[in-house]
Amino acid sequence: MPDANTVLLRALAARSLAIIRAAQAPSGAYVASPSFPVYGYSWFRDGAFIADAMSRAGEIESAEAFFDWCAGVLDARIDRVEGLIDRATRGESVAATDHLHTRYTLGGQESDAEWWNFQLDGYGAWLWALEAHVRRHGRPIERFLGGAVLSARYIEAFWREPSYDWWEEHPEHRHVSTLGAVAAGLRAASRLPGVDSDLAARFGTRADAIVETLHEETARLGYLPKWLGGDAVDASLLALGGTFELFAPDDPTMIATVARIEAELVHAAGVHRYLDDTYYGGGEWLPLAGFLGLHHVASGRPDAARDELAWMARQATPDDLLPEQVSAHLLAPDRYTEWVERWGPIATPLLWSHAMYVSLAVGLGVMAPLVASER
């Protein structure tokens, strides 16, 4: 019999699945937050981690509906993407405003609202999630293949370009977390069944070259930085280990990077994004606690991983909704009010938070994946 605490943790995981299901549009898109107006869209990045959580939990149809949505967004823009790739091949400069958007309406349209759109990580992350799903469940890929290959060719063409990071900031830099997502996506694309062998080899070679670029940064610093040429760390770097598996958990690079993140950005079990964060005062982000927990699982530290899961659970509202971040320990408390006045209270629920909770709960064995009869 599970102990009482495990029962509570398991119940929140089940509730999280229900919240994600309820917030998935008929199109397959996952809304980032159903109650936070500026998050009323679907991001490839958030959605990739949500779909991966649903796949881990055995929610096959939900994950594949999102993959259908991703492939559809790309297939609908095939001429535009081919034109962008052709411009890159010819060495032509491509303005950030010409690139694909990072968020779309739930129906797959672009928004006219101003946003920080040139972000490559999501176009790699969904490929990583798709390939992991195919391996996990042995599912056919034909209906996703065209969009997947187009996405891989797009990020292959532009991986060297500076772009906005996970947090939609600093477009002047080449961000290590973005490069990690691109490398993970290209490596995933190289393994997808049905991809032309020459193209697959090219994707794999490019992924290896990107990882080598990251090793060069490690040789310079001893750890991975927030962006190439910098020296600060960012908690999104946690994904390069236990999630994207670009670095083994016992790789000295990952050990040094996580140690620095824990020393600078972890308060109790909560995880801040980076030291200079001012968004809603720079609170502790639940998705990042999930990434740290998954790193601990991969490192053979289940007790530490369970601490992260328990911390995430303690942040739930009375209705079992998980927020994006919490404000109990702010890095920039004087900047909190301005964001509340601008956009309202912190996004709650955030589907990405619920997804990372589910992924970690499955990884710890707190929640068992559904079998076919339970779906």
Side-chain angles (χ1 to χ4, degrees):
M1 287 286 293
D3 59 53
N5 187 50
T6 298
V7 170
L8 292 174
L9 295 174
R10 186 174 295 165
L12 182 56
R15 171 74 169 138
S16 293
L17 290 179
I19 289 167
I20 292 171
R21 287 191 214 103
Q24 186 170 24
S27 65
Y30 294 116
V31 64
S33 175
S35 59
F36 192 71
V38 296
Y39 287 5
Y41 298 85
S42 188
W43 273 256
F44 272 65
R45 172 181 51 254
D46 294 39
F49 294 120
I50 298 165
D52 181 64
M54 298 302 270
S55 174
R56 291 176 191 242
E59 295 276 359
I60 291 173
E61 292 79 9
S62 175
E64 293 185 355
F66 176 72
F67 299 143
D68 274 326
W69 180 84
C70 292
V73 166
L74 285 151
D75 289 340
R77 291 161 178 79
I78 186 169
D79 290 341
R80 179 177 173 182
V81 177
E82 291 288 3
L84 288 168
I85 293 171
D86 182 61
R87 290 169 66 184
T89 301
R90 290 187 278 110
E92 182 180 336
S93 177
V94 178
T97 52
D98 291 346
H99 279 280
L100 296 179
H101 284 203
T102 190
R103 67 174 194 171
Y104 295 87
T105 68
L106 303 186
Q109 287 77 46
E110 296 173 356
S111 170
D112 292 333
E114 186 176 351
W115 202 256
W116 307 277
N117 270 312
F118 180 37
Q119 300 172 39
L120 292 175
D121 57 278
Y123 291 99
W126 89 275
L127 296 175
W128 160 81
L130 172 62
E131 195 272 336
H133 176 78
V134 171
R135 276 189 290 113
R136 190 178 291 126
H137 298 292
R139 301 287 291 176
I141 192 178
E142 287 78 13
R143 71 184 198 260
F144 315 122
L145 193 57
V149 170
L150 191 63
S151 190
R153 290 177 56 226
Y154 174 63
I155 58 177
E156 180 198 27
F158 292 103
W159 73 274
R160 293 184 181 86
E161 297 296 315
S163 65
Y164 289 102
D165 63 8
W166 280 31
W167 317 125
E168 307 185 314
E169 299 172 338
H170 298 292
E172 71 276 17
H173 290 296
R174 297 173 64 197
H175 300 278
V176 171
S177 296
T178 294
L179 291 170
V182 169
L186 289 172
R187 186 164 288 172
S190 76
R191 298 168 176 168
L192 286 173
V195 175
D196 174 80
S197 59
D198 290 340
L199 199 57
R202 198 176 84 196
F203 291 155
T205 298
R206 180 66 69 202
D208 291 343
I210 296 171
V211 173
E212 180 56 34
T213 297
L214 302 185
H215 278 296
E216 290 170 3
E217 286 295 285
T218 304
R220 180 176 68 86
L221 292 170
Y223 59 89
L224 293 169
K226 182 175 173 68
W227 55 64
L228 299 187
D231 57 12
V233 290
D234 188 296
S236 59
L237 297 166
L238 293 165
L240 275 62
T243 303
F244 290 149
E245 298 181 332
L246 296 175
F247 296 88
D250 59 352
D251 187 303
T253 294
M254 212 63 219
I255 291 172
T257 303
V258 174
R260 194 171 177 97
I261 289 170
E262 289 185 315
E264 295 186 7
L265 302 176
V266 177
H267 177 77
V271 185
H272 297 281
R273 297 192 300 176
Y274 56 93
L275 280 178
D276 294 331
D277 190 10
T278 60
Y279 181 58
Y280 280 91
E284 298 153 296
W285 280 57
L286 276 75
L288 295 174
F291 283 115
L292 180 56
L294 288 174
H295 169 79
H296 290 323
V297 170
S299 301
R301 299 179 61 203
D303 291 343
R306 193 179 178 95
D307 287 344
E308 296 300 325
L309 188 72
W311 180 86
M312 294 174 77
R314 291 196 298 273
Q315 314 315 313
T317 70
D319 294 328
D320 290 332
L321 304 180
L322 295 178
E324 176 181 65
Q325 58 175 298
V326 293
S327 55
H329 182 259
L330 297 176
L331 296 174
D334 58 322
R335 303 296 298 276
Y336 175 78
T337 302
E338 71 181 78
W339 284 101
V340 175
E341 292 174 347
R342 179 179 178 183
W343 282 352
I346 290 168
T348 309
L350 188 77
L351 262 64
W352 190 6
S353 296
H354 284 282
M356 297 308 298
Y357 183 87
V358 167
S359 291
L360 184 52
V362 172
L364 282 167
V366 169
M367 179 185 205
L370 300 176
V371 298
S373 62
E374 295 174 318
R375 292 183 198 122

